[in-house]
Amino acid sequence: MNVLKKILDFYINCSIHVALSVFALVRITEYIFGIKEDSAVLIFAFFGTIVGYNFVKYDALARIQKRQMKPQLKGIALVSLISLLLTAYGFMQLQWITQIIGIVFLLLTMLYTLPFFPNKKNARNWAGIKIYIVALCWVGVTLVLPIVNAGLPLTSDFYLKCVQRFILVFVLILIFEIIDLMQDDPHLKTVPQQIGVAFTKRLGYVLLSIFCLLELFKVNTRDSIAIASLDCTLQCVIALVVGLFLAFANPYRSKYYTSFWVESIPIMLWLLMSLKL
Protein backbone atom coordinates (compact mmCIF):
# COMPACT_ATOMS: atom_id res chain seq x y z
CA MET A 1 0.00 0.00 0.00
CA ASN A 2 2.89 2.33 0.82
CA VAL A 3 4.41 1.66 -2.61
CA LEU A 4 1.14 2.58 -4.34
CA LYS A 5 0.96 5.81 -2.32
CA LYS A 6 4.50 6.71 -3.35
CA ILE A 7 3.64 6.06 -7.00
CA LEU A 8 0.50 8.21 -6.71
CA ASP A 9 2.43 11.00 -4.98
CA PHE A 10 5.11 10.96 -7.68
CA TYR A 11 2.42 10.97 -10.39
CA ILE A 12 0.80 14.03 -8.79
CA ASN A 13 3.98 15.83 -7.74
CA CYS A 14 5.45 15.34 -11.20
CA SER A 15 2.44 17.25 -12.63
CA ILE A 16 1.44 14.36 -14.89
CA HIS A 17 -2.12 14.43 -13.54
CA VAL A 18 -2.63 18.14 -14.15
CA ALA A 19 -1.08 17.70 -17.62
CA LEU A 20 -3.63 14.99 -18.34
CA SER A 21 -6.37 17.45 -17.33
CA VAL A 22 -5.00 19.98 -19.83
CA PHE A 23 -4.83 17.24 -22.47
CA ALA A 24 -8.48 16.37 -21.76
CA LEU A 25 -9.62 19.99 -22.17
CA VAL A 26 -7.75 20.27 -25.48
CA ARG A 27 -9.50 17.10 -26.71
CA ILE A 28 -12.87 18.52 -25.61
CA THR A 29 -12.11 21.72 -27.54
CA GLU A 30 -11.20 19.72 -30.63
CA TYR A 31 -14.40 17.69 -30.44
CA ILE A 32 -16.73 20.63 -29.86
CA PHE A 33 -15.20 22.74 -32.66
CA GLY A 34 -14.85 19.83 -35.07
CA ILE A 35 -11.04 19.90 -35.16
CA LYS A 36 -9.23 16.81 -36.34
CA GLU A 37 -6.98 15.40 -33.60
CA ASP A 38 -3.83 17.53 -33.69
CA SER A 39 -0.88 15.61 -32.27
CA ALA A 40 1.39 18.69 -32.30
CA VAL A 41 -0.96 20.72 -30.07
CA LEU A 42 -1.61 17.73 -27.79
CA ILE A 43 2.11 17.01 -27.35
CA PHE A 44 2.91 20.67 -26.76
CA ALA A 45 0.03 21.12 -24.28
CA PHE A 46 0.64 17.91 -22.32
CA PHE A 47 4.40 18.02 -21.97
CA GLY A 48 4.50 21.81 -21.82
CA THR A 49 2.21 21.66 -18.79
CA ILE A 50 4.56 19.25 -17.04
CA VAL A 51 7.52 21.54 -17.74
CA GLY A 52 5.66 24.71 -16.76
CA TYR A 53 4.14 23.40 -13.54
CA ASN A 54 7.33 21.69 -12.41
CA PHE A 55 9.31 24.84 -13.16
CA VAL A 56 6.91 26.91 -11.07
CA LYS A 57 6.86 24.42 -8.19
CA TYR A 58 10.45 23.24 -8.02
CA ASP A 59 12.73 25.82 -9.65
CA ALA A 60 13.79 27.54 -6.42
CA LEU A 61 13.92 24.25 -4.50
CA ALA A 62 16.12 22.60 -7.13
CA ARG A 63 18.54 25.54 -7.13
CA ILE A 64 18.81 25.47 -3.33
CA GLN A 65 19.23 21.68 -3.11
CA LYS A 66 21.14 21.09 -6.36
CA ARG A 67 23.93 19.25 -4.51
CA GLN A 68 21.68 17.16 -2.27
CA MET A 69 18.52 16.61 -4.27
CA LYS A 70 16.18 13.96 -2.92
CA PRO A 71 15.47 10.93 -5.16
CA GLN A 72 11.92 12.08 -5.93
CA LEU A 73 13.13 15.55 -6.92
CA LYS A 74 15.76 13.95 -9.16
CA GLY A 75 13.02 11.84 -10.76
CA ILE A 76 10.88 14.94 -11.30
CA ALA A 77 13.88 16.72 -12.84
CA LEU A 78 14.43 13.82 -15.25
CA VAL A 79 10.75 13.71 -16.28
CA SER A 80 10.83 17.51 -16.72
CA LEU A 81 13.91 17.29 -18.96
CA ILE A 82 12.32 14.62 -21.16
CA SER A 83 9.10 16.67 -21.25
CA LEU A 84 11.07 19.77 -22.26
CA LEU A 85 12.51 17.95 -25.26
CA LEU A 86 9.08 16.66 -26.28
CA THR A 87 7.59 20.14 -25.77
CA ALA A 88 10.23 21.54 -28.13
CA TYR A 89 9.36 18.83 -30.67
CA GLY A 90 5.64 19.66 -30.46
CA PHE A 91 6.42 23.38 -30.68
CA MET A 92 8.33 22.92 -33.94
CA GLN A 93 5.29 21.19 -35.49
CA LEU A 94 2.93 24.10 -34.73
CA GLN A 95 1.89 26.82 -37.15
CA TRP A 96 4.02 29.97 -36.81
CA ILE A 97 1.12 32.01 -35.42
CA THR A 98 0.47 29.31 -32.84
CA GLN A 99 4.15 29.33 -31.92
CA ILE A 100 3.95 33.06 -31.21
CA ILE A 101 0.91 32.54 -28.98
CA GLY A 102 2.71 29.67 -27.25
CA ILE A 103 5.68 31.96 -26.53
CA VAL A 104 3.33 34.56 -25.03
CA PHE A 105 1.99 32.03 -22.55
CA LEU A 106 5.53 30.82 -21.86
CA LEU A 107 6.46 34.39 -20.91
CA LEU A 108 3.40 34.55 -18.65
CA THR A 109 4.59 31.36 -16.93
CA MET A 110 8.07 32.84 -16.48
CA LEU A 111 6.57 36.06 -15.13
CA TYR A 112 4.65 33.91 -12.65
CA THR A 113 7.92 32.36 -11.44
CA LEU A 114 10.82 34.74 -11.97
CA PRO A 115 11.11 38.37 -10.80
CA PHE A 116 11.41 40.51 -13.95
CA PHE A 117 11.84 43.80 -12.14
CA PRO A 118 14.52 44.79 -9.60
CA ASN A 119 13.46 44.44 -5.97
CA LYS A 120 10.10 42.99 -7.01
CA LYS A 121 8.61 39.61 -6.23
CA ASN A 122 7.48 37.26 -8.99
CA ALA A 123 3.86 37.36 -10.13
CA ARG A 124 3.07 34.29 -8.03
CA ASN A 125 3.50 36.51 -4.97
CA TRP A 126 1.71 39.57 -6.31
CA ALA A 127 -1.31 40.00 -4.10
CA GLY A 128 -4.49 38.69 -5.73
CA ILE A 129 -3.13 38.26 -9.27
CA LYS A 130 -2.12 34.57 -9.23
CA ILE A 131 -5.61 33.23 -9.96
CA TYR A 132 -6.01 35.39 -13.09
CA ILE A 133 -2.64 34.44 -14.61
CA VAL A 134 -3.25 30.71 -14.11
CA ALA A 135 -6.80 30.88 -15.53
CA LEU A 136 -5.61 32.91 -18.52
CA CYS A 137 -2.82 30.42 -19.29
CA TRP A 138 -5.27 27.50 -19.16
CA VAL A 139 -7.63 29.28 -21.57
CA GLY A 140 -4.73 29.97 -23.92
CA VAL A 141 -3.33 26.45 -23.97
CA THR A 142 -6.57 24.44 -23.94
CA LEU A 143 -8.70 26.65 -26.21
CA VAL A 144 -6.82 29.32 -28.14
CA LEU A 145 -3.90 27.14 -29.30
CA PRO A 146 -5.93 24.28 -30.85
CA ILE A 147 -8.36 26.64 -32.59
CA VAL A 148 -5.69 28.98 -33.98
CA ASN A 149 -3.48 26.07 -35.07
CA ALA A 150 -6.45 24.58 -36.95
CA GLY A 151 -6.97 27.89 -38.75
CA LEU A 152 -10.59 28.27 -37.60
CA PRO A 153 -12.23 31.72 -37.63
CA LEU A 154 -12.56 33.43 -34.25
CA THR A 155 -16.36 33.54 -34.08
CA SER A 156 -18.61 34.71 -31.27
CA ASP A 157 -18.80 31.10 -30.06
CA PHE A 158 -15.02 31.10 -29.66
CA TYR A 159 -15.10 34.18 -27.43
CA LEU A 160 -18.00 32.80 -25.40
CA LYS A 161 -16.11 29.55 -24.94
CA CYS A 162 -13.05 31.55 -23.79
CA VAL A 163 -15.15 33.24 -21.12
CA GLN A 164 -16.65 29.90 -20.08
CA ARG A 165 -13.22 28.23 -19.90
CA PHE A 166 -11.85 31.14 -17.85
CA ILE A 167 -14.78 30.90 -15.42
CA LEU A 168 -14.36 27.14 -15.13
CA VAL A 169 -10.66 27.33 -14.29
CA PHE A 170 -11.23 30.31 -12.00
CA VAL A 171 -13.76 28.37 -9.92
CA LEU A 172 -11.51 25.29 -9.84
CA ILE A 173 -8.71 27.49 -8.47
CA LEU A 174 -11.12 28.85 -5.85
CA ILE A 175 -11.46 25.28 -4.56
CA PHE A 176 -7.66 25.00 -4.35
CA GLU A 177 -7.47 28.30 -2.49
CA ILE A 178 -10.08 27.17 0.05
CA ILE A 179 -8.18 23.92 0.70
CA ASP A 180 -4.84 25.80 0.98
CA LEU A 181 -6.23 28.60 3.14
CA MET A 182 -4.22 27.63 6.24
CA GLN A 183 -0.95 27.11 4.32
CA ASP A 184 -1.03 30.16 2.03
CA ASP A 185 0.97 33.23 2.98
CA PRO A 186 -1.51 35.91 4.18
CA HIS A 187 0.22 38.44 1.90
CA LEU A 188 -0.95 36.50 -1.18
CA LYS A 189 -4.46 37.86 -0.60
CA THR A 190 -6.22 34.89 -2.17
CA VAL A 191 -9.97 35.16 -2.61
CA PRO A 192 -10.83 33.14 0.57
CA GLN A 193 -8.34 35.23 2.55
CA GLN A 194 -10.05 38.43 1.45
CA ILE A 195 -13.74 37.51 1.61
CA GLY A 196 -13.85 34.27 3.62
CA VAL A 197 -14.75 30.71 2.66
CA ALA A 198 -18.55 31.19 2.70
CA PHE A 199 -18.49 34.19 0.36
CA THR A 200 -15.90 32.48 -1.86
CA LYS A 201 -18.32 29.60 -2.33
CA ARG A 202 -21.16 31.99 -3.14
CA LEU A 203 -18.95 33.72 -5.69
CA GLY A 204 -18.22 30.32 -7.21
CA TYR A 205 -21.92 29.45 -7.47
CA VAL A 206 -22.66 32.80 -9.17
CA LEU A 207 -19.84 32.25 -11.66
CA LEU A 208 -21.03 28.71 -12.41
CA SER A 209 -24.54 30.08 -13.03
CA ILE A 210 -23.10 32.58 -15.53
CA PHE A 211 -21.08 29.72 -17.03
CA CYS A 212 -24.32 27.86 -17.78
CA LEU A 213 -26.30 30.92 -18.89
CA LEU A 214 -23.70 31.71 -21.55
CA GLU A 215 -24.89 28.60 -23.40
CA LEU A 216 -28.03 30.58 -24.33
CA PHE A 217 -25.95 33.03 -26.37
CA LYS A 218 -24.09 30.49 -28.46
CA VAL A 219 -24.53 30.09 -32.18
CA ASN A 220 -24.00 26.51 -33.31
CA THR A 221 -20.65 26.47 -35.11
CA ARG A 222 -21.23 22.94 -36.39
CA ASP A 223 -23.95 21.51 -38.58
CA SER A 224 -24.56 18.65 -36.17
CA ILE A 225 -27.29 19.37 -33.63
CA ALA A 226 -26.02 16.34 -31.71
CA ILE A 227 -22.64 18.02 -31.15
CA ALA A 228 -24.27 21.23 -29.95
CA SER A 229 -26.50 19.23 -27.62
CA LEU A 230 -23.54 17.28 -26.26
CA ASP A 231 -21.62 20.50 -25.65
CA CYS A 232 -24.55 21.98 -23.71
CA THR A 233 -24.92 18.78 -21.68
CA LEU A 234 -21.20 18.75 -20.90
CA GLN A 235 -21.33 22.33 -19.62
CA CYS A 236 -24.23 21.50 -17.31
CA VAL A 237 -22.54 18.35 -16.03
CA ILE A 238 -19.25 20.11 -15.37
CA ALA A 239 -21.00 23.00 -13.58
CA LEU A 240 -22.86 20.53 -11.36
CA VAL A 241 -19.73 18.49 -10.53
CA VAL A 242 -17.58 21.56 -9.85
CA GLY A 243 -20.38 23.02 -7.72
CA LEU A 244 -20.47 19.85 -5.60
CA PHE A 245 -16.70 19.89 -5.08
CA LEU A 246 -16.93 23.57 -4.16
CA ALA A 247 -19.72 22.88 -1.66
CA PHE A 248 -17.70 20.25 0.20
CA ALA A 249 -14.39 22.12 0.08
CA ASN A 250 -12.86 23.23 3.38
CA PRO A 251 -9.33 23.91 4.71
CA TYR A 252 -9.26 20.55 6.50
CA ARG A 253 -9.61 18.41 3.38
CA SER A 254 -6.79 16.11 2.27
CA LYS A 255 -4.43 17.41 -0.40
CA TYR A 256 -5.75 14.67 -2.69
CA TYR A 257 -9.16 16.39 -2.71
CA THR A 258 -7.78 19.00 -5.10
CA SER A 259 -4.52 17.60 -6.48
CA PHE A 260 -6.22 14.40 -7.63
CA TRP A 261 -10.02 14.54 -7.50
CA VAL A 262 -10.68 18.15 -8.54
CA GLU A 263 -8.08 17.93 -11.29
CA SER A 264 -9.80 14.73 -12.48
CA ILE A 265 -12.96 16.64 -13.48
CA PRO A 266 -11.78 17.55 -17.03
CA ILE A 267 -10.54 13.97 -17.49
CA MET A 268 -13.92 12.60 -16.45
CA LEU A 269 -15.72 14.93 -18.87
CA TRP A 270 -13.40 13.94 -21.70
CA LEU A 271 -14.22 10.28 -21.03
CA LEU A 272 -17.94 11.08 -20.97
CA MET A 273 -17.57 12.96 -24.24
CA SER A 274 -15.66 10.06 -25.77
CA LEU A 275 -18.47 7.72 -24.78
CA LYS A 276 -21.01 10.31 -26.05
CA LEU A 277 -22.62 10.18 -22.58
Side-chain angles (χ1 to χ4, degrees), residues 30-52:
E30 290 179 338
Y31 189 82
I32 296 303
F33 284 88
I35 302 171
K36 184 180 179 181
E37 183 175 326
D38 191 333
S39 59
V41 172
L42 292 170
I43 290 171
F44 180 76
F46 180 81
F47 291 104
T49 300
I50 293 177
V51 174

PDB file of all heavy atoms in Angstrom, residues 30-52:
ATOM      1  N   GLU A  30     -11.264  20.261 -29.274  1.00  0.00           N
ATOM      2  CA  GLU A  30     -11.199  19.715 -30.630  1.00  0.00           C
ATOM      3  C   GLU A  30     -12.527  19.087 -31.036  1.00  0.00           C
ATOM      4  O   GLU A  30     -12.994  19.275 -32.168  1.00  0.00           O
ATOM      5  CB  GLU A  30     -10.074  18.675 -30.724  1.00  0.00           C
ATOM      6  CG  GLU A  30      -8.675  19.270 -30.648  1.00  0.00           C
ATOM      7  CD  GLU A  30      -7.581  18.218 -30.722  1.00  0.00           C
ATOM      8  OE1 GLU A  30      -7.865  17.041 -30.416  1.00  0.00           O
ATOM      9  OE2 GLU A  30      -6.444  18.567 -31.072  1.00  0.00           O
ATOM     10  N   TYR A  31     -13.142  18.364 -30.128  1.00  0.00           N
ATOM     11  CA  TYR A  31     -14.401  17.689 -30.444  1.00  0.00           C
ATOM     12  C   TYR A  31     -15.524  18.695 -30.671  1.00  0.00           C
ATOM     13  O   TYR A  31     -16.275  18.596 -31.651  1.00  0.00           O
ATOM     14  CB  TYR A  31     -14.766  16.722 -29.331  1.00  0.00           C
ATOM     15  CG  TYR A  31     -15.937  15.839 -29.672  1.00  0.00           C
ATOM     16  CD1 TYR A  31     -15.759  14.686 -30.432  1.00  0.00           C
ATOM     17  CD2 TYR A  31     -17.225  16.149 -29.257  1.00  0.00           C
ATOM     18  CE1 TYR A  31     -16.829  13.870 -30.765  1.00  0.00           C
ATOM     19  CE2 TYR A  31     -18.304  15.348 -29.591  1.00  0.00           C
ATOM     20  CZ  TYR A  31     -18.096  14.213 -30.338  1.00  0.00           C
ATOM     21  OH  TYR A  31     -19.161  13.415 -30.666  1.00  0.00           O
ATOM     22  N   ILE A  32     -15.630  19.661 -29.771  1.00  0.00           N
ATOM     23  CA  ILE A  32     -16.726  20.633 -29.855  1.00  0.00           C
ATOM     24  C   ILE A  32     -16.614  21.506 -31.107  1.00  0.00           C
ATOM     25  O   ILE A  32     -17.619  21.825 -31.749  1.00  0.00           O
ATOM     26  CB  ILE A  32     -16.755  21.527 -28.590  1.00  0.00           C
ATOM     27  CG1 ILE A  32     -17.069  20.681 -27.347  1.00  0.00           C
ATOM     28  CG2 ILE A  32     -17.781  22.646 -28.739  1.00  0.00           C
ATOM     29  CD1 ILE A  32     -18.358  19.904 -27.414  1.00  0.00           C
ATOM     30  N   PHE A  33     -15.397  21.863 -31.505  1.00  0.00           N
ATOM     31  CA  PHE A  33     -15.204  22.739 -32.660  1.00  0.00           C
ATOM     32  C   PHE A  33     -14.917  21.959 -33.936  1.00  0.00           C
ATOM     33  O   PHE A  33     -14.596  22.555 -34.973  1.00  0.00           O
ATOM     34  CB  PHE A  33     -14.088  23.738 -32.385  1.00  0.00           C
ATOM     35  CG  PHE A  33     -14.505  24.871 -31.472  1.00  0.00           C
ATOM     36  CD1 PHE A  33     -14.407  24.749 -30.097  1.00  0.00           C
ATOM     37  CD2 PHE A  33     -15.025  26.049 -31.994  1.00  0.00           C
ATOM     38  CE1 PHE A  33     -14.792  25.783 -29.253  1.00  0.00           C
ATOM     39  CE2 PHE A  33     -15.415  27.089 -31.168  1.00  0.00           C
ATOM     40  CZ  PHE A  33     -15.303  26.955 -29.792  1.00  0.00           C
ATOM     41  N   GLY A  34     -15.009  20.642 -33.870  1.00  0.00           N
ATOM     42  CA  GLY A  34     -14.847  19.831 -35.067  1.00  0.00           C
ATOM     43  C   GLY A  34     -13.438  19.820 -35.621  1.00  0.00           C
ATOM     44  O   GLY A  34     -13.237  19.763 -36.839  1.00  0.00           O
ATOM     45  N   ILE A  35     -12.443  19.883 -34.735  1.00  0.00           N
ATOM     46  CA  ILE A  35     -11.043  19.896 -35.155  1.00  0.00           C
ATOM     47  C   ILE A  35     -10.508  18.469 -35.174  1.00  0.00           C
ATOM     48  O   ILE A  35     -10.685  17.717 -34.215  1.00  0.00           O
ATOM     49  CB  ILE A  35     -10.185  20.753 -34.200  1.00  0.00           C
ATOM     50  CG1 ILE A  35     -10.724  22.180 -34.137  1.00  0.00           C
ATOM     51  CG2 ILE A  35      -8.722  20.740 -34.622  1.00  0.00           C
ATOM     52  CD1 ILE A  35     -10.080  23.031 -33.067  1.00  0.00           C
ATOM     53  N   LYS A  36      -9.861  18.125 -36.258  1.00  0.00           N
ATOM     54  CA  LYS A  36      -9.228  16.813 -36.335  1.00  0.00           C
ATOM     55  C   LYS A  36      -8.116  16.737 -35.292  1.00  0.00           C
ATOM     56  O   LYS A  36      -7.415  17.721 -35.050  1.00  0.00           O
ATOM     57  CB  LYS A  36      -8.651  16.586 -37.744  1.00  0.00           C
ATOM     58  CG  LYS A  36      -8.045  15.212 -37.947  1.00  0.00           C
ATOM     59  CD  LYS A  36      -7.500  15.060 -39.363  1.00  0.00           C
ATOM     60  CE  LYS A  36      -6.860  13.687 -39.552  1.00  0.00           C
ATOM     61  NZ  LYS A  36      -6.293  13.541 -40.922  1.00  0.00           N
ATOM     62  N   GLU A  37      -7.975  15.567 -34.661  1.00  0.00           N
ATOM     63  CA  GLU A  37      -6.977  15.400 -33.598  1.00  0.00           C
ATOM     64  C   GLU A  37      -5.614  15.906 -34.069  1.00  0.00           C
ATOM     65  O   GLU A  37      -5.061  15.446 -35.058  1.00  0.00           O
ATOM     66  CB  GLU A  37      -6.879  13.927 -33.194  1.00  0.00           C
ATOM     67  CG  GLU A  37      -5.915  13.704 -32.034  1.00  0.00           C
ATOM     68  CD  GLU A  37      -5.902  12.265 -31.553  1.00  0.00           C
ATOM     69  OE1 GLU A  37      -6.972  11.612 -31.606  1.00  0.00           O
ATOM     70  OE2 GLU A  37      -4.826  11.794 -31.142  1.00  0.00           O
ATOM     71  N   ASP A  38      -5.083  16.872 -33.333  1.00  0.00           N
ATOM     72  CA  ASP A  38      -3.831  17.533 -33.693  1.00  0.00           C
ATOM     73  C   ASP A  38      -2.743  17.098 -32.723  1.00  0.00           C
ATOM     74  O   ASP A  38      -2.663  17.595 -31.596  1.00  0.00           O
ATOM     75  CB  ASP A  38      -4.029  19.052 -33.646  1.00  0.00           C
ATOM     76  CG  ASP A  38      -2.865  19.809 -34.262  1.00  0.00           C
ATOM     77  OD1 ASP A  38      -1.744  19.283 -34.256  1.00  0.00           O
ATOM     78  OD2 ASP A  38      -3.093  20.941 -34.744  1.00  0.00           O
ATOM     79  N   SER A  39      -1.899  16.172 -33.155  1.00  0.00           N
ATOM     80  CA  SER A  39      -0.875  15.614 -32.267  1.00  0.00           C
ATOM     81  C   SER A  39       0.125  16.678 -31.806  1.00  0.00           C
ATOM     82  O   SER A  39       0.616  16.629 -30.674  1.00  0.00           O
ATOM     83  CB  SER A  39      -0.140  14.465 -32.958  1.00  0.00           C
ATOM     84  OG  SER A  39       0.471  14.912 -34.159  1.00  0.00           O
ATOM     85  N   ALA A  40       0.426  17.651 -32.662  1.00  0.00           N
ATOM     86  CA  ALA A  40       1.394  18.693 -32.295  1.00  0.00           C
ATOM     87  C   ALA A  40       0.890  19.507 -31.110  1.00  0.00           C
ATOM     88  O   ALA A  40       1.627  19.753 -30.137  1.00  0.00           O
ATOM     89  CB  ALA A  40       1.654  19.602 -33.493  1.00  0.00           C
ATOM     90  N   VAL A  41      -0.373  19.938 -31.167  1.00  0.00           N
ATOM     91  CA  VAL A  41      -0.959  20.717 -30.070  1.00  0.00           C
ATOM     92  C   VAL A  41      -1.051  19.870 -28.805  1.00  0.00           C
ATOM     93  O   VAL A  41      -0.748  20.336 -27.697  1.00  0.00           O
ATOM     94  CB  VAL A  41      -2.355  21.246 -30.462  1.00  0.00           C
ATOM     95  CG1 VAL A  41      -3.047  21.876 -29.247  1.00  0.00           C
ATOM     96  CG2 VAL A  41      -2.244  22.268 -31.582  1.00  0.00           C
ATOM     97  N   LEU A  42      -1.464  18.606 -28.950  1.00  0.00           N
ATOM     98  CA  LEU A  42      -1.611  17.726 -27.790  1.00  0.00           C
ATOM     99  C   LEU A  42      -0.266  17.477 -27.108  1.00  0.00           C
ATOM    100  O   LEU A  42      -0.170  17.500 -25.876  1.00  0.00           O
ATOM    101  CB  LEU A  42      -2.252  16.404 -28.214  1.00  0.00           C
ATOM    102  CG  LEU A  42      -3.718  16.502 -28.648  1.00  0.00           C
ATOM    103  CD1 LEU A  42      -4.180  15.198 -29.288  1.00  0.00           C
ATOM    104  CD2 LEU A  42      -4.607  16.844 -27.455  1.00  0.00           C
ATOM    105  N   ILE A  43       0.770  17.230 -27.916  1.00  0.00           N
ATOM    106  CA  ILE A  43       2.108  17.007 -27.352  1.00  0.00           C
ATOM    107  C   ILE A  43       2.604  18.269 -26.659  1.00  0.00           C
ATOM    108  O   ILE A  43       3.114  18.226 -25.528  1.00  0.00           O
ATOM    109  CB  ILE A  43       3.102  16.581 -28.465  1.00  0.00           C
ATOM    110  CG1 ILE A  43       2.764  15.168 -28.948  1.00  0.00           C
ATOM    111  CG2 ILE A  43       4.542  16.641 -27.964  1.00  0.00           C
ATOM    112  CD1 ILE A  43       3.547  14.744 -30.184  1.00  0.00           C
ATOM    113  N   PHE A  44       2.448  19.408 -27.332  1.00  0.00           N
ATOM    114  CA  PHE A  44       2.910  20.672 -26.761  1.00  0.00           C
ATOM    115  C   PHE A  44       2.162  20.998 -25.469  1.00  0.00           C
ATOM    116  O   PHE A  44       2.772  21.411 -24.470  1.00  0.00           O
ATOM    117  CB  PHE A  44       2.712  21.798 -27.775  1.00  0.00           C
ATOM    118  CG  PHE A  44       3.147  23.147 -27.280  1.00  0.00           C
ATOM    119  CD1 PHE A  44       4.495  23.463 -27.209  1.00  0.00           C
ATOM    120  CD2 PHE A  44       2.207  24.087 -26.882  1.00  0.00           C
ATOM    121  CE1 PHE A  44       4.897  24.719 -26.749  1.00  0.00           C
ATOM    122  CE2 PHE A  44       2.600  25.330 -26.420  1.00  0.00           C
ATOM    123  CZ  PHE A  44       3.951  25.651 -26.351  1.00  0.00           C
ATOM    124  N   ALA A  45       0.835  20.798 -25.467  1.00  0.00           N
ATOM    125  CA  ALA A  45       0.026  21.121 -24.284  1.00  0.00           C
ATOM    126  C   ALA A  45       0.343  20.193 -23.120  1.00  0.00           C
ATOM    127  O   ALA A  45       0.531  20.643 -21.979  1.00  0.00           O
ATOM    128  CB  ALA A  45      -1.452  21.037 -24.640  1.00  0.00           C
ATOM    129  N   PHE A  46       0.415  18.890 -23.388  1.00  0.00           N
ATOM    130  CA  PHE A  46       0.638  17.912 -22.315  1.00  0.00           C
ATOM    131  C   PHE A  46       2.025  18.059 -21.689  1.00  0.00           C
ATOM    132  O   PHE A  46       2.161  18.277 -20.479  1.00  0.00           O
ATOM    133  CB  PHE A  46       0.452  16.491 -22.851  1.00  0.00           C
ATOM    134  CG  PHE A  46       0.657  15.417 -21.814  1.00  0.00           C
ATOM    135  CD1 PHE A  46      -0.351  15.089 -20.929  1.00  0.00           C
ATOM    136  CD2 PHE A  46       1.868  14.734 -21.723  1.00  0.00           C
ATOM    137  CE1 PHE A  46      -0.168  14.100 -19.964  1.00  0.00           C
ATOM    138  CE2 PHE A  46       2.068  13.755 -20.769  1.00  0.00           C
ATOM    139  CZ  PHE A  46       1.043  13.434 -19.889  1.00  0.00           C
ATOM    140  N   PHE A  47       3.044  17.975 -22.518  1.00  0.00           N
ATOM    141  CA  PHE A  47       4.402  18.019 -21.974  1.00  0.00           C
ATOM    142  C   PHE A  47       4.801  19.432 -21.550  1.00  0.00           C
ATOM    143  O   PHE A  47       5.579  19.603 -20.605  1.00  0.00           O
ATOM    144  CB  PHE A  47       5.388  17.441 -22.990  1.00  0.00           C
ATOM    145  CG  PHE A  47       5.228  15.964 -23.196  1.00  0.00           C
ATOM    146  CD1 PHE A  47       4.612  15.471 -24.340  1.00  0.00           C
ATOM    147  CD2 PHE A  47       5.652  15.062 -22.233  1.00  0.00           C
ATOM    148  CE1 PHE A  47       4.447  14.105 -24.528  1.00  0.00           C
ATOM    149  CE2 PHE A  47       5.488  13.699 -22.400  1.00  0.00           C
ATOM    150  CZ  PHE A  47       4.881  13.210 -23.555  1.00  0.00           C
ATOM    151  N   GLY A  48       4.244  20.434 -22.226  1.00  0.00           N
ATOM    152  CA  GLY A  48       4.503  21.812 -21.817  1.00  0.00           C
ATOM    153  C   GLY A  48       3.940  22.102 -20.438  1.00  0.00           C
ATOM    154  O   GLY A  48       4.525  22.867 -19.660  1.00  0.00           O
ATOM    155  N   THR A  49       2.797  21.497 -20.119  1.00  0.00           N
ATOM    156  CA  THR A  49       2.206  21.662 -18.793  1.00  0.00           C
ATOM    157  C   THR A  49       3.098  21.054 -17.723  1.00  0.00           C
ATOM    158  O   THR A  49       3.301  21.640 -16.652  1.00  0.00           O
ATOM    159  CB  THR A  49       0.811  21.007 -18.737  1.00  0.00           C
ATOM    160  OG1 THR A  49      -0.038  21.630 -19.702  1.00  0.00           O
ATOM    161  CG2 THR A  49       0.189  21.165 -17.355  1.00  0.00           C
ATOM    162  N   ILE A  50       3.647  19.882 -17.997  1.00  0.00           N
ATOM    163  CA  ILE A  50       4.563  19.252 -17.040  1.00  0.00           C
ATOM    164  C   ILE A  50       5.765  20.151 -16.784  1.00  0.00           C
ATOM    165  O   ILE A  50       6.150  20.403 -15.631  1.00  0.00           O
ATOM    166  CB  ILE A  50       5.024  17.872 -17.561  1.00  0.00           C
ATOM    167  CG1 ILE A  50       3.848  16.894 -17.600  1.00  0.00           C
ATOM    168  CG2 ILE A  50       6.151  17.309 -16.678  1.00  0.00           C
ATOM    169  CD1 ILE A  50       4.197  15.525 -18.161  1.00  0.00           C
ATOM    170  N   VAL A  51       6.354  20.664 -17.871  1.00  0.00           N
ATOM    171  CA  VAL A  51       7.523  21.537 -17.742  1.00  0.00           C
ATOM    172  C   VAL A  51       7.158  22.814 -16.976  1.00  0.00           C
ATOM    173  O   VAL A  51       7.855  23.214 -16.034  1.00  0.00           O
ATOM    174  CB  VAL A  51       8.085  21.909 -19.129  1.00  0.00           C
ATOM    175  CG1 VAL A  51       9.209  22.940 -18.993  1.00  0.00           C
ATOM    176  CG2 VAL A  51       8.605  20.665 -19.836  1.00  0.00           C
ATOM    177  N   GLY A  52       6.056  23.450 -17.374  1.00  0.00           N
ATOM    178  CA  GLY A  52       5.656  24.710 -16.761  1.00  0.00           C
ATOM    179  C   GLY A  52       5.342  24.572 -15.285  1.00  0.00           C
ATOM    180  O   GLY A  52       5.832  25.343 -14.447  1.00  0.00           O
TER     181      GLY A  52
END
